[in-house]
Amino acid sequence: MESLTIENFLKAKNEKGEVSREVCAALEALCSAATKIAKLAAGNGIGTDNLGSLTGAENTDGDEQKALDVLADQLICSTLAPTGVSAYLSEERDEAVIFEEGRDSQIVVASDPLDGSSNIDTNLTIGTIFSLYPAKAGNWLREGRAQQAAGFFAYGPQTVLLLTTGQGVDGFCLNEEGHFVQMDWQPQIPATTKEFAINAANSRFWPAKVQRYIDTLLAGVDGPRGTNFNMRWNGSLVADAFRIFRRGGIFLYPEDSRKNYENGRLRLVYEANPIAFLVEQAEGRASDGKIDILDITPTSYHMRVPLIFGSADEVDSYHSEQ
Ligand code: AFP
């Protein structure tokens, strides 16, 4: 049976009243931009500027901007402009971009245009994360539970999209003809796991509670958990997230004692919220170590939150260790 294209998938959802025409248009625009970003990433270093080179600029959070960060952001912004959405928030921009054409739709698209920038030149999976939610002019921030759609593209051996509009999660893969077609897979995160993802190089900066939890995993079969655990850390949220949707796991980027890391590294509006919406829709759990990510009220575009997500029972084990 022929696989369903994203366009026909969204048309069917619109006909069922599950998503609005404006949300469909924005999601198709994001797919178009992602196809171009995937091509740029795949051609990095072949007669093009080194896409992993530093531009000399920094984003609001002080992260050094790479060429592909800026290109991806520009591609997404220009592709969204005519779709009728009201505003665009980006990791790469201090302020929201307001689209005159979309003044009535009151839909915001928030994005990390290029997640995993440190991996651009290492041929490792990088991605684009996005969140769509309703907002009124003058207040472009909403809590995660208000999201109408969220997902991420992962540019790796396959270019894939995981998407939710509130009725579960669907997976798509970019085919040879340049179309995102639905994968024969209903993403659901197993409740238990024996695999964790954390940047262990930061362990001396973690709060004692995080150290205690990780130590119980490292103790393995002779420790309190009575089983051995494996560790993975990609340096790209989208890569670790996709693996967790495939086979379960727990991802942790907690707060730590480094300057600017008192709330961890990941940003609520365009990283933690979209990931948390997907994770909950796939029967997983996503928290800041205390409360569900989706219940946190955003107070600024680039606010950071500790992010712990994945297999629900394992996130609960982390909480009970606190
Ligand atoms: P970059 O986009 O700056 O590479 O950051 C990627 C990221 O936001 C997220 O994708 C990773 O999980 C995390 O940072 C990696 O952080 P560390 O480099 O501190 O391990």
Side-chain angles (χ1 to χ4, degrees), residues 59 63-64 66 69 91-92 112 114-120 125-127 129 198-202 233-240 251-253 256 258 261 265-267 271 307 309:
N59 64 20
D63 295 336
E64 291 178 313
K66 306 275 179 71
D69 284 321
E91 177 179 312
E92 305 309 328
D112 177 1
L114 208 287
D115 171 66
S117 310
S118 58
N119 287 330
I120 292 171
T125 296
I126 53 182
I129 309 170
I198 193 166
N199 184 341
N202 299 325
W233 186 252
N234 278 284
S236 285
L237 172 58
V238 294
D240 287 313
F251 172 103
L252 305 100
Y253 210 116
D256 71 46
R258 288 175 292 169
Y261 280 71
R265 175 187 176 89
L266 300 168
R267 289 76 165 186
E271 289 173 322
L307 178 60
F309 73 86

mmCIF file of all heavy atoms in Angstrom, residues 59 63-64 66 69 91-92 112 114-120 125-127 129 198-202 233-240 251-253 256 258 261 265-267 271 307 309, ligand 1:
data_model
loop_
_atom_site.group_PDB
_atom_site.id
_atom_site.type_symbol
_atom_site.label_atom_id
_atom_site.label_comp_id
_atom_site.label_asym_id
_atom_site.label_seq_id
_atom_site.Cartn_x
_atom_site.Cartn_y
_atom_site.Cartn_z
ATOM 1 N N ASN A 59 23.824 34.060 19.874
ATOM 2 C CA ASN A 59 22.384 34.258 20.040
ATOM 3 C C ASN A 59 22.134 34.832 21.441
ATOM 4 O O ASN A 59 23.067 35.067 22.211
ATOM 5 C CB ASN A 59 21.611 32.954 19.814
ATOM 6 C CG ASN A 59 21.960 31.887 20.853
ATOM 7 O OD1 ASN A 59 22.474 32.200 21.930
ATOM 8 N ND2 ASN A 59 21.695 30.633 20.522
ATOM 9 N N ASP A 63 25.115 31.571 22.997
ATOM 10 C CA ASP A 63 25.674 30.475 22.194
ATOM 11 C C ASP A 63 26.286 31.056 20.919
ATOM 12 O O ASP A 63 25.660 31.908 20.255
ATOM 13 C CB ASP A 63 24.556 29.498 21.765
ATOM 14 C CG ASP A 63 23.913 28.788 22.962
ATOM 15 O OD1 ASP A 63 24.582 28.692 24.017
ATOM 16 O OD2 ASP A 63 22.752 28.373 22.842
ATOM 17 N N GLU A 64 27.477 30.613 20.563
ATOM 18 C CA GLU A 64 28.087 31.068 19.304
ATOM 19 C C GLU A 64 27.274 30.513 18.137
ATOM 20 O O GLU A 64 26.933 29.331 18.111
ATOM 21 C CB GLU A 64 29.524 30.550 19.214
ATOM 22 C CG GLU A 64 30.461 31.206 20.231
ATOM 23 C CD GLU A 64 31.864 30.631 20.125
ATOM 24 O OE1 GLU A 64 31.980 29.387 20.075
ATOM 25 O OE2 GLU A 64 32.819 31.419 20.053
ATOM 26 N N LYS A 66 26.520 29.203 14.442
ATOM 27 C CA LYS A 66 27.187 28.556 13.304
ATOM 28 C C LYS A 66 26.434 28.964 12.041
ATOM 29 O O LYS A 66 25.261 29.357 12.086
ATOM 30 C CB LYS A 66 27.148 27.032 13.459
ATOM 31 C CG LYS A 66 27.701 26.495 14.800
ATOM 32 C CD LYS A 66 29.181 26.316 14.755
ATOM 33 C CE LYS A 66 29.762 25.814 16.054
ATOM 34 N NZ LYS A 66 29.433 24.403 16.355
ATOM 35 N N ASP A 69 23.103 27.365 11.659
ATOM 36 C CA ASP A 69 22.094 27.903 12.602
ATOM 37 C C ASP A 69 21.330 29.044 11.932
ATOM 38 O O ASP A 69 20.104 29.123 11.924
ATOM 39 C CB ASP A 69 22.776 28.483 13.852
ATOM 40 C CG ASP A 69 23.278 27.440 14.836
ATOM 41 O OD1 ASP A 69 22.571 26.433 15.037
ATOM 42 O OD2 ASP A 69 24.372 27.644 15.394
ATOM 43 N N GLU A 91 15.309 30.352 18.607
ATOM 44 C CA GLU A 91 16.507 30.355 19.468
ATOM 45 C C GLU A 91 17.520 31.357 18.951
ATOM 46 O O GLU A 91 18.326 31.893 19.701
ATOM 47 C CB GLU A 91 17.126 28.953 19.511
ATOM 48 C CG GLU A 91 18.417 28.897 20.334
ATOM 49 C CD GLU A 91 19.018 27.496 20.410
ATOM 50 O OE1 GLU A 91 18.271 26.541 20.697
ATOM 51 O OE2 GLU A 91 20.233 27.382 20.191
ATOM 52 N N GLU A 92 17.485 31.614 17.631
ATOM 53 C CA GLU A 92 18.505 32.467 17.022
ATOM 54 C C GLU A 92 18.125 33.946 16.993
ATOM 55 O O GLU A 92 18.866 34.752 16.423
ATOM 56 C CB GLU A 92 18.796 31.971 15.593
ATOM 57 C CG GLU A 92 19.193 30.513 15.493
ATOM 58 C CD GLU A 92 20.323 30.115 16.456
ATOM 59 O OE1 GLU A 92 21.197 30.975 16.741
ATOM 60 O OE2 GLU A 92 20.314 28.972 16.933
ATOM 61 N N ASP A 112 13.637 25.787 17.550
ATOM 62 C CA ASP A 112 15.089 25.713 17.571
ATOM 63 C C ASP A 112 15.455 25.277 16.160
ATOM 64 O O ASP A 112 15.356 24.091 15.835
ATOM 65 C CB ASP A 112 15.580 24.698 18.621
ATOM 66 C CG ASP A 112 17.095 24.565 18.596
ATOM 67 O OD1 ASP A 112 17.749 25.268 17.785
ATOM 68 O OD2 ASP A 112 17.632 23.742 19.366
ATOM 69 N N LEU A 114 18.152 24.814 14.425
ATOM 70 C CA LEU A 114 19.199 23.823 14.211
ATOM 71 C C LEU A 114 19.679 23.338 15.580
ATOM 72 O O LEU A 114 20.523 23.970 16.210
ATOM 73 C CB LEU A 114 20.359 24.416 13.396
ATOM 74 C CG LEU A 114 21.190 23.461 12.544
ATOM 75 C CD1 LEU A 114 22.091 22.606 13.402
ATOM 76 C CD2 LEU A 114 20.316 22.562 11.680
ATOM 77 N N ASP A 115 19.118 22.192 16.016
ATOM 78 C CA ASP A 115 19.496 21.632 17.321
ATOM 79 C C ASP A 115 20.709 20.720 17.126
ATOM 80 O O ASP A 115 20.760 19.930 16.185
ATOM 81 C CB ASP A 115 18.323 20.821 17.862
ATOM 82 C CG ASP A 115 18.704 20.022 19.093
ATOM 83 O OD1 ASP A 115 19.007 20.653 20.124
ATOM 84 O OD2 ASP A 115 18.743 18.777 18.998
ATOM 85 N N GLY A 116 21.704 20.861 17.998
ATOM 86 C CA GLY A 116 22.888 20.006 17.894
ATOM 87 C C GLY A 116 23.997 20.645 17.085
ATOM 88 O O GLY A 116 24.796 19.952 16.448
ATOM 89 N N SER A 117 24.050 21.985 17.119
ATOM 90 C CA SER A 117 25.023 22.704 16.262
ATOM 91 C C SER A 117 26.451 22.213 16.433
ATOM 92 O O SER A 117 27.231 22.223 15.493
ATOM 93 C CB SER A 117 24.979 24.207 16.580
ATOM 94 O OG SER A 117 23.656 24.657 16.564
ATOM 95 N N SER A 118 26.772 21.751 17.646
ATOM 96 C CA SER A 118 28.166 21.308 17.869
ATOM 97 C C SER A 118 28.461 20.062 17.047
ATOM 98 O O SER A 118 29.614 19.663 16.903
ATOM 99 C CB SER A 118 28.385 21.019 19.358
ATOM 100 O OG SER A 118 27.455 20.031 19.791
ATOM 101 N N ASN A 119 27.432 19.451 16.476
ATOM 102 C CA ASN A 119 27.635 18.227 15.679
ATOM 103 C C ASN A 119 27.607 18.475 14.175
ATOM 104 O O ASN A 119 27.710 17.519 13.395
ATOM 105 C CB ASN A 119 26.546 17.198 16.029
ATOM 106 C CG ASN A 119 26.774 16.575 17.395
ATOM 107 O OD1 ASN A 119 27.908 16.450 17.845
ATOM 108 N ND2 ASN A 119 25.699 16.214 18.065
ATOM 109 N N ILE A 120 27.457 19.727 13.736
ATOM 110 C CA ILE A 120 27.283 19.999 12.295
ATOM 111 C C ILE A 120 28.437 19.410 11.478
ATOM 112 O O ILE A 120 28.224 18.786 10.441
ATOM 113 C CB ILE A 120 27.155 21.522 12.021
ATOM 114 C CG1 ILE A 120 25.838 22.051 12.588
ATOM 115 C CG2 ILE A 120 27.265 21.830 10.522
ATOM 116 C CD1 ILE A 120 25.719 23.563 12.551
ATOM 117 N N THR A 125 23.770 13.149 13.816
ATOM 118 C CA THR A 125 22.395 13.634 13.628
ATOM 119 C C THR A 125 22.170 14.979 14.294
ATOM 120 O O THR A 125 22.548 15.186 15.458
ATOM 121 C CB THR A 125 21.404 12.591 14.207
ATOM 122 O OG1 THR A 125 21.519 11.381 13.453
ATOM 123 C CG2 THR A 125 19.965 13.101 14.112
ATOM 124 N N ILE A 126 21.591 15.920 13.537
ATOM 125 C CA ILE A 126 21.172 17.235 14.048
ATOM 126 C C ILE A 126 19.703 17.396 13.673
ATOM 127 O O ILE A 126 19.124 16.529 13.020
ATOM 128 C CB ILE A 126 22.044 18.357 13.427
ATOM 129 C CG1 ILE A 126 22.062 18.263 11.889
ATOM 130 C CG2 ILE A 126 23.467 18.279 13.989
ATOM 131 C CD1 ILE A 126 22.939 19.319 11.219
ATOM 132 N N GLY A 127 19.081 18.487 14.102
ATOM 133 C CA GLY A 127 17.643 18.560 13.821
ATOM 134 C C GLY A 127 17.031 19.934 13.963
ATOM 135 O O GLY A 127 17.732 20.929 14.207
ATOM 136 N N ILE A 129 13.521 21.632 15.891
ATOM 137 C CA ILE A 129 12.428 21.381 16.831
ATOM 138 C C ILE A 129 11.407 22.509 16.693
ATOM 139 O O ILE A 129 11.804 23.677 16.519
ATOM 140 C CB ILE A 129 12.949 21.331 18.285
ATOM 141 C CG1 ILE A 129 14.148 20.371 18.392
ATOM 142 C CG2 ILE A 129 11.844 20.895 19.250
ATOM 143 C CD1 ILE A 129 14.884 20.430 19.728
ATOM 144 N N ILE A 198 22.793 11.176 29.673
ATOM 145 C CA ILE A 198 23.173 12.371 30.429
ATOM 146 C C ILE A 198 24.626 12.669 30.074
ATOM 147 O O ILE A 198 25.375 11.742 29.722
ATOM 148 C CB ILE A 198 22.995 12.154 31.962
ATOM 149 C CG1 ILE A 198 23.070 13.490 32.715
ATOM 150 C CG2 ILE A 198 24.037 11.169 32.521
ATOM 151 C CD1 ILE A 198 22.579 13.399 34.156
ATOM 152 N N ASN A 199 25.039 13.939 30.128
ATOM 153 C CA ASN A 199 26.431 14.268 29.857
ATOM 154 C C ASN A 199 27.223 14.104 31.155
ATOM 155 O O ASN A 199 27.293 15.019 31.973
ATOM 156 C CB ASN A 199 26.562 15.700 29.332
ATOM 157 C CG ASN A 199 28.015 16.016 28.963
ATOM 158 O OD1 ASN A 199 28.933 15.319 29.416
ATOM 159 N ND2 ASN A 199 28.210 17.029 28.163
ATOM 160 N N ALA A 200 27.782 12.915 31.321
ATOM 161 C CA ALA A 200 28.453 12.549 32.582
ATOM 162 C C ALA A 200 29.676 13.425 32.861
ATOM 163 O O ALA A 200 30.161 13.495 33.985
ATOM 164 C CB ALA A 200 28.842 11.074 32.542
ATOM 165 N N ALA A 201 30.175 14.135 31.849
ATOM 166 C CA ALA A 201 31.328 15.019 32.072
ATOM 167 C C ALA A 201 30.980 16.150 33.051
ATOM 168 O O ALA A 201 31.868 16.775 33.624
ATOM 169 C CB ALA A 201 31.796 15.610 30.744
ATOM 170 N N ASN A 202 29.672 16.380 33.208
ATOM 171 C CA ASN A 202 29.244 17.466 34.109
ATOM 172 C C ASN A 202 28.941 16.985 35.521
ATOM 173 O O ASN A 202 28.440 17.758 36.342
ATOM 174 C CB ASN A 202 27.988 18.143 33.526
ATOM 175 C CG ASN A 202 28.253 18.752 32.163
ATOM 176 O OD1 ASN A 202 29.348 19.248 31.906
ATOM 177 N ND2 ASN A 202 27.267 18.699 31.275
ATOM 178 N N TRP A 233 24.894 9.305 24.884
ATOM 179 C CA TRP A 233 24.794 10.768 24.901
ATOM 180 C C TRP A 233 25.243 11.296 23.535
ATOM 181 O O TRP A 233 26.401 11.135 23.160
ATOM 182 C CB TRP A 233 25.629 11.418 26.002
ATOM 183 C CG TRP A 233 25.401 12.905 26.082
ATOM 184 C CD1 TRP A 233 26.254 13.912 25.712
ATOM 185 C CD2 TRP A 233 24.215 13.559 26.551
ATOM 186 N NE1 TRP A 233 25.674 15.129 25.909
ATOM 187 C CE2 TRP A 233 24.417 14.955 26.425
ATOM 188 C CE3 TRP A 233 22.972 13.116 27.067
ATOM 189 C CZ2 TRP A 233 23.449 15.908 26.804
ATOM 190 C CZ3 TRP A 233 22.013 14.053 27.439
ATOM 191 C CH2 TRP A 233 22.256 15.420 27.315
ATOM 192 N N ASN A 234 24.300 11.873 22.747
ATOM 193 C CA ASN A 234 24.609 12.283 21.383
ATOM 194 C C ASN A 234 25.053 13.733 21.263
ATOM 195 O O ASN A 234 25.583 14.122 20.237
ATOM 196 C CB ASN A 234 23.376 12.088 20.489
ATOM 197 C CG ASN A 234 23.255 10.652 20.025
ATOM 198 O OD1 ASN A 234 23.979 10.221 19.137
ATOM 199 N ND2 ASN A 234 22.390 9.892 20.654
ATOM 200 N N GLY A 235 24.699 14.561 22.260
ATOM 201 C CA GLY A 235 24.969 15.993 22.099
ATOM 202 C C GLY A 235 23.966 16.640 21.159
ATOM 203 O O GLY A 235 24.085 17.819 20.828
ATOM 204 N N SER A 236 22.968 15.883 20.722
ATOM 205 C CA SER A 236 21.834 16.411 19.938
ATOM 206 C C SER A 236 20.567 15.891 20.581
ATOM 207 O O SER A 236 20.325 14.670 20.577
ATOM 208 C CB SER A 236 21.877 15.919 18.482
ATOM 209 O OG SER A 236 22.849 16.574 17.728
ATOM 210 N N LEU A 237 19.762 16.817 21.123
ATOM 211 C CA LEU A 237 18.517 16.418 21.787
ATOM 212 C C LEU A 237 17.653 15.567 20.869
ATOM 213 O O LEU A 237 17.102 14.547 21.278
ATOM 214 C CB LEU A 237 17.777 17.685 22.233
ATOM 215 C CG LEU A 237 16.366 17.547 22.789
ATOM 216 C CD1 LEU A 237 16.320 16.623 23.991
ATOM 217 C CD2 LEU A 237 15.823 18.919 23.158
ATOM 218 N N VAL A 238 17.561 15.965 19.584
ATOM 219 C CA VAL A 238 16.669 15.233 18.663
ATOM 220 C C VAL A 238 17.127 13.786 18.475
ATOM 221 O O VAL A 238 16.311 12.879 18.328
ATOM 222 C CB VAL A 238 16.551 15.942 17.297
ATOM 223 C CG1 VAL A 238 15.857 17.287 17.433
ATOM 224 C CG2 VAL A 238 17.900 16.084 16.611
ATOM 225 N N ALA A 239 18.466 13.561 18.478
ATOM 226 C CA ALA A 239 18.978 12.195 18.284
ATOM 227 C C ALA A 239 18.665 11.332 19.494
ATOM 228 O O ALA A 239 18.191 10.193 19.362
ATOM 229 C CB ALA A 239 20.483 12.248 18.027
ATOM 230 N N ASP A 240 18.907 11.866 20.695
ATOM 231 C CA ASP A 240 18.585 11.105 21.904
ATOM 232 C C ASP A 240 17.080 10.896 22.024
ATOM 233 O O ASP A 240 16.610 9.803 22.394
ATOM 234 C CB ASP A 240 19.127 11.838 23.143
ATOM 235 C CG ASP A 240 20.654 11.728 23.244
ATOM 236 O OD1 ASP A 240 21.187 10.612 23.078
ATOM 237 O OD2 ASP A 240 21.311 12.765 23.466
ATOM 238 N N PHE A 251 16.227 10.629 29.440
ATOM 239 C CA PHE A 251 17.156 11.714 29.075
ATOM 240 C C PHE A 251 17.158 12.710 30.226
ATOM 241 O O PHE A 251 16.098 13.073 30.734
ATOM 242 C CB PHE A 251 16.662 12.396 27.805
ATOM 243 C CG PHE A 251 17.419 13.646 27.411
ATOM 244 C CD1 PHE A 251 18.347 13.600 26.371
ATOM 245 C CD2 PHE A 251 17.217 14.857 28.054
ATOM 246 C CE1 PHE A 251 19.040 14.748 25.993
ATOM 247 C CE2 PHE A 251 17.917 16.005 27.692
ATOM 248 C CZ PHE A 251 18.821 15.943 26.649
ATOM 249 N N LEU A 252 18.355 13.140 30.626
ATOM 250 C CA LEU A 252 18.430 14.112 31.723
ATOM 251 C C LEU A 252 19.379 15.252 31.372
ATOM 252 O O LEU A 252 20.543 15.007 31.016
ATOM 253 C CB LEU A 252 18.951 13.443 33.006
ATOM 254 C CG LEU A 252 18.209 12.206 33.514
ATOM 255 C CD1 LEU A 252 18.963 10.929 33.096
ATOM 256 C CD2 LEU A 252 18.042 12.242 35.013
ATOM 257 N N TYR A 253 18.859 16.483 31.379
ATOM 258 C CA TYR A 253 19.735 17.641 31.398
ATOM 259 C C TYR A 253 19.314 18.469 32.620
ATOM 260 O O TYR A 253 18.496 19.372 32.499
ATOM 261 C CB TYR A 253 19.716 18.477 30.118
ATOM 262 C CG TYR A 253 21.063 19.143 29.911
ATOM 263 C CD1 TYR A 253 21.864 18.829 28.829
ATOM 264 C CD2 TYR A 253 21.588 20.028 30.862
ATOM 265 C CE1 TYR A 253 23.122 19.390 28.674
ATOM 266 C CE2 TYR A 253 22.837 20.579 30.741
ATOM 267 C CZ TYR A 253 23.606 20.256 29.643
ATOM 268 O OH TYR A 253 24.866 20.793 29.506
ATOM 269 N N ASP A 256 22.683 22.616 37.038
ATOM 270 C CA ASP A 256 23.964 22.310 37.681
ATOM 271 C C ASP A 256 24.629 23.601 38.148
ATOM 272 O O ASP A 256 24.082 24.700 37.929
ATOM 273 C CB ASP A 256 24.853 21.430 36.780
ATOM 274 C CG ASP A 256 25.418 22.140 35.551
ATOM 275 O OD1 ASP A 256 25.914 23.279 35.682
ATOM 276 O OD2 ASP A 256 25.369 21.543 34.454
ATOM 277 N N ARG A 258 27.228 25.260 37.279
ATOM 278 C CA ARG A 258 27.971 26.154 36.367
ATOM 279 C C ARG A 258 27.208 27.473 36.175
ATOM 280 O O ARG A 258 25.986 27.500 36.254
ATOM 281 C CB ARG A 258 28.160 25.473 35.008
ATOM 282 C CG ARG A 258 29.166 24.342 35.001
ATOM 283 C CD ARG A 258 29.198 23.669 33.652
ATOM 284 N NE ARG A 258 27.951 22.953 33.382
ATOM 285 C CZ ARG A 258 27.640 22.446 32.180
ATOM 286 N NH1 ARG A 258 28.452 22.596 31.156
ATOM 287 N NH2 ARG A 258 26.505 21.788 32.003
ATOM 288 N N TYR A 261 23.818 27.795 34.255
ATOM 289 C CA TYR A 261 23.204 26.465 34.171
ATOM 290 C C TYR A 261 22.347 26.159 35.397
ATOM 291 O O TYR A 261 21.984 25.009 35.636
ATOM 292 C CB TYR A 261 24.279 25.393 33.979
ATOM 293 C CG TYR A 261 24.758 25.282 32.540
ATOM 294 C CD1 TYR A 261 25.544 26.277 31.974
ATOM 295 C CD2 TYR A 261 24.385 24.203 31.731
ATOM 296 C CE1 TYR A 261 25.971 26.200 30.656
ATOM 297 C CE2 TYR A 261 24.809 24.114 30.413
ATOM 298 C CZ TYR A 261 25.592 25.122 29.873
ATOM 299 O OH TYR A 261 25.993 25.046 28.569
ATOM 300 N N ARG A 265 20.290 23.603 30.578
ATOM 301 C CA ARG A 265 20.744 24.201 29.321
ATOM 302 C C ARG A 265 19.605 24.408 28.341
ATOM 303 O O ARG A 265 19.641 25.289 27.510
ATOM 304 C CB ARG A 265 21.794 23.283 28.689
ATOM 305 C CG ARG A 265 22.282 23.698 27.325
ATOM 306 C CD ARG A 265 23.177 22.647 26.711
ATOM 307 N NE ARG A 265 23.560 23.006 25.363
ATOM 308 C CZ ARG A 265 24.631 23.727 25.048
ATOM 309 N NH1 ARG A 265 25.419 24.160 25.995
ATOM 310 N NH2 ARG A 265 24.914 24.025 23.794
ATOM 311 N N LEU A 266 18.570 23.561 28.438
ATOM 312 C CA LEU A 266 17.548 23.536 27.390
ATOM 313 C C LEU A 266 16.462 24.570 27.644
ATOM 314 O O LEU A 266 16.152 24.901 28.790
ATOM 315 C CB LEU A 266 16.982 22.120 27.270
ATOM 316 C CG LEU A 266 18.084 21.107 26.899
ATOM 317 C CD1 LEU A 266 17.611 19.688 27.058
ATOM 318 C CD2 LEU A 266 18.612 21.359 25.503
ATOM 319 N N ARG A 267 15.916 25.108 26.532
ATOM 320 C CA ARG A 267 14.957 26.197 26.642
ATOM 321 C C ARG A 267 13.535 25.660 26.604
ATOM 322 O O ARG A 267 13.212 24.723 25.850
ATOM 323 C CB ARG A 267 15.149 27.184 25.494
ATOM 324 C CG ARG A 267 16.424 28.012 25.593
ATOM 325 C CD ARG A 267 17.641 27.204 25.208
ATOM 326 N NE ARG A 267 18.811 28.035 24.965
ATOM 327 C CZ ARG A 267 19.967 27.530 24.503
ATOM 328 N NH1 ARG A 267 20.063 26.225 24.264
ATOM 329 N NH2 ARG A 267 20.983 28.306 24.295
ATOM 330 N N GLU A 271 12.250 24.060 22.942
ATOM 331 C CA GLU A 271 12.889 22.734 23.059
ATOM 332 C C GLU A 271 12.086 21.845 24.014
ATOM 333 O O GLU A 271 11.526 20.824 23.605
ATOM 334 C CB GLU A 271 14.340 22.890 23.537
ATOM 335 C CG GLU A 271 15.258 23.501 22.479
ATOM 336 C CD GLU A 271 16.671 23.815 22.979
ATOM 337 O OE1 GLU A 271 16.828 24.258 24.136
ATOM 338 O OE2 GLU A 271 17.622 23.612 22.196
ATOM 339 N N LEU A 307 15.491 19.450 32.173
ATOM 340 C CA LEU A 307 14.622 18.590 31.357
ATOM 341 C C LEU A 307 14.962 17.132 31.602
ATOM 342 O O LEU A 307 16.094 16.699 31.384
ATOM 343 C CB LEU A 307 14.768 18.918 29.862
ATOM 344 C CG LEU A 307 13.942 18.047 28.898
ATOM 345 C CD1 LEU A 307 12.437 18.152 29.192
ATOM 346 C CD2 LEU A 307 14.228 18.441 27.441
ATOM 347 N N PHE A 309 13.109 13.454 30.657
ATOM 348 C CA PHE A 309 11.959 12.879 29.931
ATOM 349 C C PHE A 309 12.275 11.459 29.477
ATOM 350 O O PHE A 309 13.441 11.047 29.409
ATOM 351 C CB PHE A 309 11.561 13.741 28.727
ATOM 352 C CG PHE A 309 12.521 13.678 27.557
ATOM 353 C CD1 PHE A 309 12.410 12.676 26.592
ATOM 354 C CD2 PHE A 309 13.522 14.626 27.408
ATOM 355 C CE1 PHE A 309 13.287 12.623 25.517
ATOM 356 C CE2 PHE A 309 14.400 14.595 26.337
ATOM 357 C CZ PHE A 309 14.292 13.590 25.393
HETATM 358 P P1 AFP B 1 23.939 22.950 20.519
HETATM 359 O O1 AFP B 1 22.828 23.146 19.537
HETATM 360 O O2 AFP B 1 24.548 24.241 21.001
HETATM 361 O O3 AFP B 1 24.965 21.943 20.056
HETATM 362 O O4 AFP B 1 23.281 22.336 21.842
HETATM 363 C C1 AFP B 1 22.592 21.118 21.691
HETATM 364 C C2 AFP B 1 21.775 20.941 22.932
HETATM 365 O O5 AFP B 1 20.943 22.060 23.115
HETATM 366 C C3 AFP B 1 20.954 19.664 22.882
HETATM 367 O O6 AFP B 1 20.612 19.308 21.580
HETATM 368 C C4 AFP B 1 21.858 18.636 23.508
HETATM 369 O O7 AFP B 1 21.152 17.603 24.147
HETATM 370 C C5 AFP B 1 22.629 19.467 24.517
HETATM 371 O O8 AFP B 1 22.629 20.818 24.043
HETATM 372 C C6 AFP B 1 24.060 19.021 24.622
HETATM 373 O O9 AFP B 1 24.620 19.784 25.664
HETATM 374 P P2 AFP B 1 26.137 19.492 26.078
HETATM 375 O O10 AFP B 1 26.975 19.953 24.920
HETATM 376 O O11 AFP B 1 26.321 20.337 27.332
HETATM 377 O O12 AFP B 1 26.254 18.035 26.342
#
